[in-house]
Amino acid sequence: MLSFVVLAGQLLLLIGGAVFGSLVLLLLLVKWWLERPLRQPIGRVRAGGPFKGQAPDDDTYEVCIVGAGPAGSSCAYFSVKGGVKTLLLERKTFPRDKYCGDGVCTPAINILEEMGVMKTLKENNEVKFADAGGLVSPAGLSYIGASVEKLGNAAACAVKRLHLDMRMAFAARDAGASLLEEQDVIGAEFDDSRGIWTVKTEAGASYKARLLVCADGAPSRLATKLGYCTEAPKGISSRAFISGKHNTNFDGVCFYLKGALPGYCAIFRHPNDELNFCYYLIPCGKEGMCGDVSEKDLPRLHNYAIKEDPFVSAAIGKQAKIEPMKAAALRLARQGVSKSYGPQLLIVGDAAGQCDPLTGEGIHTAMIGGKQAALTIIEMSREGDYSEESCKVYEDRWLKEFGHDFPISVMGSWLLWKCPMLIDATAAEMQRQGDKMLALWAELMTCMKPKTYFLHPSIALPLGVAVVRRYLSTLIFGEAKRQL
Ligand SMILES: Cc1cc2nc3c(=O)[nH]c(=O)nc-3n(C[C@H](O)[C@H](O)[C@H](O)COP(=O)(O)OP(=O)(O)OC[C@H]3O[C@@H](n4cnc5c(N)ncnc54)[C@H](O)[C@@H]3O)c2cc1C
């Protein structure tokens, strides 16, 4: 009898081991398959182009960048550093506001360090590193910790766009780019015979350049006019600054509220203790919908969260001064822009839909896109070749850097919408594992690791177990009430 029990135990162990091993193998295989774009070789800029060895005329720039947001300014900074004669045109005058959550992720922090902008932001007390952060799940499970303990650095920081964009544009100018403000670009014409763009502004000015970079933000007006962008953006996000007395003692938290998934809201804290509250609606499901809600629901959702949601309203408190809601469009995951290049043309940042479709965040991707564009521009300038084939190298590069992740992020959004329990389980796992799990989550959500890493057994298996545990506890004990 005893030997039978031992035998049965050994058999069970063997079967369990085989199932576990197959699962790990399957996860690694799917991850490997999804990461194919990362292994694909990138083409090269064509050598010996028609402009090789020819300095541009005095009245002509090598590159004209339209829009001095994070994409345009990073592109201008790195281009001019590489010796390219660069013009940066901006519609507004700095300092100027841009509706945003002001959450700046690690890849952007690294680029800001490289540009010398982070030093200026720190010196002027314009940046707050998110040392304490976390998330609140749809069922009300929350974890706020310090991923910085595991990562060595904060995964994100908060900087007002009033400061960030001005400092970046001025860094590009100080590096040698010609920055012209109050230049509302209304169109651009290409002279095929000379290979020169003429860029025109509302006030009647015109500028000549060999290469045109559209970096004019989510509405992508210039790329639309030139025929490269075919749709209006489908995502939207709100913003409200909150000042005065509030109850927030964390630096950055995401709140996933039932009903608006895969959208979410977030609070980031600024160095002057002001808060930034944002509500992101992520396109998902039927045309025109963001899960179960649409753009017209945003004011209701925004105000409900601030006034009624037990977590958000408690963090804001009753005495805080809340700015009226502002909103702006999100163009996510290349929406409406199937090609981000053309002959002597690049499209960068939100204008190319380089915003992450799982988080709605795009400052870091705009900067990476801007830098990759600049690296390609420098090579094109050296070779005197701005052909479509050479410009495509830029698209290959940004897809390899972060764009390859977009289909997985889109899938992730859909899963969050259909299965909110995934976030509940993630929050539960954070409560169990502490900052280790929070740090992993932060790395994945801020583009430090590709989203395919969600399939790595070290994260997929504990999350899978957490989902089963959560499912069983809901089945047995029912849905927990959202409470503090
Ligand atoms: C409410 C909201 C909250 C967000 N929160 C976050 C967040 O917390 N973190 C994050 O990473 N991302 C966030 N995003 C996304 C982020 O704002 C964008 O991804 C980022 O700003 C993209 O940078 P960009 O340079 O491509 O475009 P933009 O920042 O939009 O810059 C475009 C620039 O072009 C200029 N311009 C436009 N038209 C013309 C013209 N005709 N002529 C000359 N200049 C022109 C504009 O004035 C502007 O300076 C948020 C977006 C919204 C709407």
Side-chain angles (χ1 to χ4, degrees), residues 61 80 86-89 172-173 176-180:
Y61 290 87
V80 82
T86 305
L87 173 65
L88 178 58
L89 298 176
R173 180 199 62 192
S178 302
L179 167 67
L180 300 181

Side-chain angles (χ1 to χ4, degrees), residues 56-176:
D57 296 342
D58 284 351
D59 69 341
T60 306
Y61 290 87
E62 281 178 280
V63 56
C64 170
I65 301 163
V66 177
S73 292
S74 54
C75 182
Y77 176 86
F78 288 106
S79 296
V80 82
K81 279 279 180 185
V84 176
K85 190 177 169 193
T86 305
L87 173 65
L88 178 58
L89 298 176
E90 168 56 42
R91 182 172 53 176
K92 305 234 174 102
T93 307
F94 291 109
R96 61 109 181 89
D97 191 15
K98 150 86 177 80
Y99 304 154
C100 186
D102 302 338
V104 179
C105 302
T106 298
I109 295 175
N110 295 340
I111 291 180
L112 291 172
E113 294 277 7
E114 216 179 323
M115 291 176 69
V117 170
M118 187 48 82
K119 185 167 170 277
T120 318
L121 292 169
K122 283 180 186 165
E123 281 166 1
N124 290 282
N125 194 30
E126 290 166 352
V127 53
K128 172 95 183 79
F129 284 89
D131 293 330
L135 65 83
V136 179
S137 81
L141 299 174
S142 65
Y143 183 80
I144 295 176
S147 57
V148 63
E149 304 290 334
K150 298 281 168 204
L151 298 173
N153 290 304
C157 64
V159 187
K160 281 195 174 180
R161 295 294 296 269
L162 200 73
H163 303 133
L164 179 76
D165 293 27
M166 178 181 73
R167 301 283 179 212
M168 288 188 73
F170 288 1
R173 180 199 62 192
D174 296 346

Side-chain angles (χ1 to χ4, degrees), residues 440-453:
L440 256 177
W441 175 264
E443 283 183 301
L444 284 160
M445 297 311 252
T446 59
C447 217
M448 277 190 264
K449 278 197 163 85
K451 302 278 188 306
T452 43
Y453 202 79

Side-chain angles (χ1 to χ4, degrees), residues 248-260:
T248 299
N249 54 8
F250 51 76
D251 300 319
V253 165
C254 295
F255 304 83
Y256 291 88
L257 271 50
K258 258 192 202 136

Side-chain angles (χ1 to χ4, degrees), residues 211-364:
L211 184 81
L212 175 66
V213 176
C214 306
D216 53 347
S220 312
R221 287 199 187 93
L222 194 51
T224 304
K225 215 162 187 184
L226 296 171
Y228 286 85
C229 175
T230 52
E231 293 173 353
K234 292 180 179 167
I236 189 164
S237 176
S238 65
R239 185 208 67 189
F241 281 132
I242 296 167
S243 54
K245 191 174 165 352
H246 57 73
N247 302 330
T248 299
N249 54 8
F250 51 76
D251 300 319
V253 165
C254 295
F255 304 83
Y256 291 88
L257 271 50
K258 258 192 202 136
L261 293 168
Y264 66 101
C265 46
I267 293 181
F268 264 95
R269 186 149 63 138
H270 281 295
N272 64 355
D273 210 34
E274 229 176 294
L275 304 178
N276 180 322
F277 173 78
C278 268
Y279 210 125
Y280 302 82
L281 294 188
I282 312 273
C284 193
K286 272 199 222 138
E287 182 62 28
M289 297 299 286
C290 299
D292 297 326
V293 294
S294 70
E295 185 181 331
K296 68 175 177 7
D297 296 306
L298 185 59
R300 174 181 62 79
L301 293 165
H302 176 102
N303 291 321
Y304 170 84
I306 287 178
K307 293 192 185 120
E308 313 272 342
D309 180 77
F311 291 91
V312 180
S313 66
I316 292 172
K318 295 225 178 310
Q319 294 172 48
K321 211 173 136 223
I322 304 166
E323 179 196 38
M325 182 191 113
K326 312 263 170 66
L330 296 171
R331 184 184 293 282
L332 309 171
R334 317 184 67 183
Q335 182 236 315
V337 192
S338 56
K339 242 173 82 178
S340 60
Y341 64 93
Q344 301 188 216
L345 174 93
L346 305 179
I347 309 170
V348 185
D350 272 12
Q354 289 179 343
C355 209
D356 185 330
L358 186 58
T359 62
E361 301 208 318
I363 296 175
H364 56 300

